[in-house]
């Protein structure tokens, strides 16, 4: 947020100077007299970076387009462009256009980063994989019914990413607020990481408790689910630098209903938290990733 504010302020200051530079009096009347087309080009290069097609490209492209437009317009103007003060004015015109283009591009980049962060924090961008528990009830019951009818295993993994491991050293109230936002951010990014490393048949569900995700993995025994939980915890640690723990429960060994499986997995997670150590590391790092 501070980056966005700083870049917008710098851009505004540059535009204020650019649009008022003719007011300067350097010892003679109308010493600085820029061509009117210069202001049109400046306005254009400031607007271009706010379109997504230009945000994905270097600011040099906008600078080049601005210079080409300015040079073309000046070429059709009959007034002198070089020699004495005219050379100085022409350079000022091109510098003002280039500076406005670069600063607008940087401000647009900061705004896009801020927009993406807001979308992640509010879980608007779910990549079609993250569901709330209420939304996933039908899919869960379908998978449970298939497992019962076909006598096939099904596992539930409760994964919790703890934003407190980021060790934010700020005032207690601000710390709690920021930790809550960070917890939600970590939850959304974790869901993205999981979506890339789980099968399409696996369900990723947002638990009601902060920082927790539930993974429903059909055709997965408890032993394989523990290996999967290890690998997911390591992925979160490696990609986000955030400590993650998990609990596992499998159908039909642990329970016959999803609610009981979830409770058993949460108890497993609580025991892992109380032990004060991360889930045991076995061969998880050597388990090949599931392609999606």
């Amino acid at each position: 947020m501070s980056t966005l504010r700083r870049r917008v302020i710098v851009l505004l200051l540059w535009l204020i100077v650019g649009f008022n530079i003719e007011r300067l009096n350097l010892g003679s009347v109308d010493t600085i007299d820029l061509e009117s087309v210069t202001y049109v080009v400046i306005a254009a290069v400031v607007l271009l970076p706010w379109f997504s097609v230009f945000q994905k490209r270097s600011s040099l492209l906008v600078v080049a387009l601005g210079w080409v437009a300015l040079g073309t317009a000046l070429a059709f103007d009959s007034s002198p462009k070089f020699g004495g003060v005219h050379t100085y004015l022409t350079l000022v015109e091109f510098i003002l256009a280039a500076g406005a283009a670069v600063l607008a591009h940087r401000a647009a980049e900061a705004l896009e980063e801020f927009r993406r962060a807001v979308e992640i924090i509010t879980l608007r961008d779910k990549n079609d994989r993250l569901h709330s528990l209420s939304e996933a009830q039908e899919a869960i019951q379908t998978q449970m019914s298939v497992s019962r009818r076909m006598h096939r295993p099904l596992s539930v993994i409760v994964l919790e990413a703890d934003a407190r491991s980021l060790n934010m050293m700020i005032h207690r109230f601000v710390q709690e607020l920021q930790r809550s936002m960070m917890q939600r951010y970590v939850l959304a990014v974790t869901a993205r990481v999981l979506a890339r490393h789980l099968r399409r048949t696996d369900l990723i569900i947002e638990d009601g408790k902060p920082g927790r995700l539930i993974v429903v993995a059909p055709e997965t025994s408890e032993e394989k689910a523990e290996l999967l939980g290890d690998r997911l915890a390591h992925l979160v640690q490696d990609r986000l630098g955030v400590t993650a723990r998990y609990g596992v429960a499998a159908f039909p060994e642990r329970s016959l209903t999803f609610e009981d499986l979830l409770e058993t997995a949460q108890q497993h997670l609580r025991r892992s938290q109380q032990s004060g150590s991360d889930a045991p590391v076995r061969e998880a790092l050597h388990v090949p990733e599931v392609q999606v």
Side-chain angles (χ1 to χ4, degrees):
M1 186 63 180
S2 60
T3 301
L4 173 61
R5 180 171 58 248
R6 184 168 58 251
R7 291 184 181 182
V8 169
I9 290 174
V10 173
L11 173 61
L12 289 176
L13 291 176
W14 185 269
L15 293 178
I16 291 172
V17 171
F19 281 89
N20 290 276
I21 194 170
E22 290 188 343
R23 296 177 179 270
L24 295 177
N25 186 351
L26 302 180
S28 60
V29 178
D30 294 335
T31 300
I32 302 179
D33 186 14
L34 305 182
E35 297 292 338
S36 299
V37 70
T38 303
Y39 300 107
V40 177
V41 172
I42 290 175
V45 298
V46 168
L47 291 176
L48 286 179
W50 301 96
F51 294 95
S52 59
V53 63
F54 290 99
Q55 289 177 0
K56 300 175 182 178
R57 292 171 171 79
S58 170
S59 60
L60 295 179
L61 174 61
V62 182
V63 173
L65 290 176
W67 279 0
V68 169
L70 182 58
T72 302
L74 293 179
F76 285 98
D77 188 80
S78 58
S79 60
K81 302 298 181 295
F82 300 99
V85 70
H86 299 295
T87 301
Y88 160 76
L89 293 177
T90 302
L91 288 176
V92 168
E93 290 169 343
F94 278 89
I95 290 172
L96 287 175
V102 172
L103 293 175
H105 193 275
R106 289 174 60 82
E109 283 182 338
L111 180 61
E112 179 63 16
E113 291 175 0
F114 178 73
R115 183 190 66 80
R116 289 176 183 173
V118 170
E119 284 189 349
I120 291 174
I121 291 172
T122 57
L123 294 180
R124 289 182 58 192
D125 184 8
K126 299 183 180 180
N127 197 26
D128 297 329
R129 293 298 304 275
L130 180 63
H131 310 279
S132 68
L133 191 55
S134 58
E135 293 172 342
Q137 281 297 327
E138 183 176 351
I140 292 170
Q141 295 307 322
T142 299
Q143 294 294 346
M144 292 293 298
S145 298
V146 170
S147 295
R148 290 193 188 98
R149 187 169 59 252
M150 305 299 294
H151 302 287
R152 303 298 299 172
L154 178 145
S155 293
V156 173
I157 303 172
V158 179
L159 184 74
E160 182 174 59
D162 188 3
R164 290 177 297 180
S165 59
L166 297 177
N167 294 323
M168 295 174 290
M169 302 301 295
I170 51 180
H171 187 271
R172 180 178 177 181
F173 174 76
V174 179
Q175 183 179 11
E176 291 177 356
L177 177 61
Q178 187 167 353
R179 181 180 293 133
S180 175
M181 294 179 63
M182 185 62 70
Q183 193 78 273
R184 195 160 181 80
Y185 175 84
V186 169
L187 176 69
V189 179
T190 301
R192 283 187 172 185
V193 172
L194 266 56
R196 289 195 294 267
H197 294 85
L198 292 173
R199 302 166 300 180
R200 295 296 301 180
T201 53
D202 296 333
L203 298 176
I204 307 174
I205 304 168
E206 179 188 0
D207 196 358
K209 298 184 179 179
R212 283 192 183 180
L213 291 173
I214 302 169
V215 178
V216 178
E219 299 292 329
T220 304
S221 64
E222 184 166 336
E223 181 180 359
K224 291 181 179 179
E226 288 178 347
L227 292 175
L228 178 60
D230 279 338
R231 183 161 62 82
L232 295 179
H234 278 86
L235 281 170
V236 174
Q237 175 69 43
D238 294 340
R239 303 290 176 85
L240 308 179
V242 176
T243 302
R245 294 185 176 89
Y246 68 92
V248 173
F251 169 91
E253 292 87 352
R254 300 297 180 182
S255 182
L256 300 179
T257 66
F258 172 75
E259 290 73 16
D260 290 341
L261 286 173
L262 181 59
E263 177 60 29
T264 303
Q266 290 174 342
Q267 290 176 1
H268 184 186
L269 174 62
R270 285 193 290 269
R271 287 196 297 270
S272 174
Q273 292 171 332
Q274 291 169 359
S275 68
S277 59
D278 293 337
V281 179
R282 288 184 291 274
E283 330 167 28
L285 296 179
H286 306 288
V287 177
E289 294 183 357
V290 178
Q291 299 297 323
V292 273

